[in-house]
Amino acid sequence: MNYWLVKSEPEAYSWADFLRDDGTAWTGVRNYQARNNLNLMQPGDQVLFYHSVSEKAVVGLAEVAAPAAPDATAEAGSPWVAVALRPVGPLARPVALAALKADARLAELALLRQSRLSVLPVRPDEFDLIMALGAA
DNA sequence: GCCAACGTTGGC
DNA sequence: GCCAACGTTGGC
């Protein structure tokens, strides 16, 4: 079991949209490093859902429903892939970026080190801590 | 709205 | 193969 974090601008595709759709194909990733992370995802992996830009908080938990497959929104023959994600549930309390930065135990969190990457790995200890911070 | 970080493109 | 120019992302 591995842990990940995906980012979405809520104005483009929000957690509420994700719940409404009861999951979605995570298409549109056009960065090789992010793609490599998508390729490493396995069904059942847990995925933190992060709202970037306007909210800057982890808002929910998703899981991988299907592994990487060619991204249907990309040109045929292109290297881009998508995984299927399904919602697990919202965090009782969103965990703000500021809270992540404030916790010394998250100093190595990939999100903080590579703020522009949209699909990031999360260590098990980091995942547990973020889930604890997001619990009621 | 600005700017830093960083990936990509294209000229040489 | 290098590097300047440029575009995009995302925090502030």
Side-chain angles (χ1 to χ4, degrees):
Chain A
M1 165 93 65
N2 287 307
Y3 302 96
W4 309 93
L5 181 147
V6 296
K7 297 198 289 198
S8 186
E9 295 190 30
E11 290 74 22
Y13 191 80
S14 69
W15 172 255
D17 295 328
F18 184 60
L19 286 182
R20 180 203 62 211
D21 295 343
D22 195 30
T24 192
W26 206 255
T27 56
V29 172
R30 297 292 182 269
N31 169 285
Y32 283 99
Q33 205 174 343
R35 181 208 61 167
N36 292 344
N37 288 331
L38 289 177
N39 275 328
L40 292 171
M41 290 188 186
Q42 294 298 322
D45 283 1
Q46 302 291 289
V47 183
L48 297 169
F49 194 109
Y50 175 82
H51 274 167
S52 65
V53 183
S54 58
E55 189 174 350
K56 286 170 289 187
V58 179
V59 294
L61 180 63
E63 70 178 11
V64 177
D71 182 341
T73 68
E75 249 181 82
S78 75
W80 306 119
V81 300
V83 296
L85 298 181
R86 78 162 78 90
V88 173
L91 298 190
R93 291 185 300 164
V95 180
L97 178 64
L100 299 175
K101 285 188 165 180
D103 197 310
R105 292 167 292 178
L106 296 174
E108 293 175 36
L109 189 67
L111 175 70
L112 303 180
R113 301 204 150 207
Q114 258 186 296
S115 67
R116 289 188 55 209
L117 191 58
S118 63
V119 181
L120 299 143
V122 179
R123 296 196 320 227
D125 59 303
E126 294 167 340
F127 177 83
D128 290 344
L129 179 55
I130 292 168
M131 290 302 288
L133 293 172

